[in-house]
Structures are given as C-alpha cells and as structure tokens.
Amino acid sequence: VERSYIMIKPDGVQRGLVGEIITRFERKGFSLKGLKLFQAPKELAEEHYSELKERPFYPELVKYIVSGPVVCMVWEGPGVIASARKLIGATNPLLAEPGTIRGDFGIQSGRNVIHGSDSPDNGEREIALWFKEGELVEWTRNRTHMLAFRAEGRRNL
Ligand code: GTP
Ligand code: MG
C-alpha cells in the first residue's frame, strides 16, 4: 500500500489548524500510521528540501520550517500520494482551489500551511528522514468497532 509523508508546517500549527487538517485526511478514509509534534533541526529541514537547494527562496524556506513545531504524519492508502496533493491544493494558496487546505487557509507560497510528498519514492525518502524505527504503528483501519456496536444495538431492540 502507498504511504505519504504529510507535514503541518509551523504556520498551520500556530494558527490552530492541526485538528481541521487531520479531520480532512481521516474523513477521506486514509489511515494514520505515524504522528508527532516535532521541532525540526535546521539540517533536517535542509535535507527534506534538498531538491530546491538552488532556488532563491531556499534559505527562507528552511528558516520557515524550523521557525516552530511541525506535525509530522504518515498517511497510508491506495493512491494517497496524488490524493493528498489534491486535498492540499496548489503550492501558491492564491491559486489553490477553494475546498483544498491551502485554498481555504492560505494567501502566500511562503506560508502554505502543509507539505505532501510528490511521489512514492520521495514519500519513502521523507518518512525515513522524519521518523525513527518504531515510531510508526502497524494497524488496520476497519469497521469492526462500529459493526459490533450496531449489532449490540439491534440485540437491544
Ligand atoms: P511541499 O509540499 O511543501 O513540497 O510544496 P509543493 O510540492 O507544493 O511545492 P515545492 O516542492 O515546489 O516547494 C516546496 C515549498 O517551498 C512550498 O510548499 C513553499 O513552502 C516553498 N515555496 C515554493 N515556491 C516558493 C516561492 O516562490 N516563495 C517562497 N517564499 N516559498 C516558496
Ligand atoms: Mg514539494
């Protein structure tokens, strides 16, 4: 199954959007496999965005990512990489569609609330970068709890 590294950036945490963002991924149906609040060291932020090293905004981008705690997440499910990028919206929040996270909550590329992996290979690279062995949980999301509850309800009718 596919996995994506999703990260709520410092502006998302500061603005109190953590619950809202997690809700959107849960509602969509993906499974949360890892979750932590984390103050990233500069070296990690640099490595995460190493593909953008030559871009003029790179130093500013690294500063932004380490400016406060981030929420690191691993979400799993079929097609999660592409689907997460749809939920997140375009890089520039002014161009992101309403209904997407960036479209609903942002106005500048330099403060765009959330990160999502752009390919399965980068997803695995980023998960290995941000999570240690043992921090991810192996579990299956299913409806057992809900179904058991309904069966019990019926018995009581
Ligand atoms: P991520 O999910 O964070 O990787 O964003 P993305 O894949 O939509 O965009 P990309 O990987 O091209 O850029 C990474 C991040 O760099 C963006 O999310 C922005 O935070 C930042 N960024 C991109 N373009 C600009 C820019 O023109 N100015 C500034 N200040 N930041 C930018
Ligand atoms: Mg990217």
Side-chain angles (χ1 to χ4, degrees):
V1 206
E2 199 168 286
R3 303 191 297 177
S4 185
Y5 176 66
I6 303 293
M7 179 169 72
I8 305 173
K9 296 178 179 179
D11 55 325
V13 176
Q14 287 292 345
R15 292 173 56 199
L17 296 173
V18 172
E20 166 80 33
I21 289 169
I22 291 177
T23 296
R24 291 184 181 211
F25 282 86
E26 276 191 314
R27 263 189 337 201
K28 179 70 178 165
F30 293 123
S31 303
L32 185 61
K33 294 298 171 95
L35 171 67
K36 67 178 176 186
L37 183 71
F38 186 61
Q39 174 59 59
K42 187 158 177 271
E43 301 68 40
L44 183 53
E46 285 171 346
E47 181 61 29
H48 175 79
Y49 281 123
S50 57
E51 284 172 343
L52 301 174
K53 217 170 355 200
E54 307 307 329
R55 306 296 285 275
F57 56 82
Y58 178 75
E60 189 188 317
L61 172 60
V62 170
K63 252 205 220 163
Y64 161 44
I65 296 302
V66 304
S67 68
V70 294
V71 172
C72 309
M73 296 180 280
V74 175
W75 287 91
E76 184 178 280
V80 64
I81 300 261
S83 179
R85 294 202 38 112
K86 276 193 182 172
L87 292 173
I88 288 169
T91 306
N92 181 346
L94 287 180
L95 304 179
E97 294 294 331
T100 66
I101 294 166
R102 287 169 177 166
D104 286 349
F105 301 121
I107 53 170
Q108 24 169 352
S109 299
R111 292 288 183 274
N112 63 1
V113 182
I114 183 168
H115 161 81
S117 306
D118 62 8
S119 71
D121 281 354
N122 263 338
E124 293 306 316
R125 177 185 74 88
E126 292 165 0
I127 289 167
L129 212 53
W130 290 89
F131 284 95
K132 292 188 200 121
E133 196 104 23
E135 284 184 331
L136 302 182
V137 176
E138 200 40 64
W139 70 293
T140 305
R141 185 174 177 186
N142 58 40
R143 298 168 64 215
T144 308
H145 295 84
M146 189 168 68
L147 292 172
F149 191 72
R150 278 168 64 198
E152 213 168 283
R154 245 184 248 118
R155 255 201 309 281
N156 292 335
L157 281 178

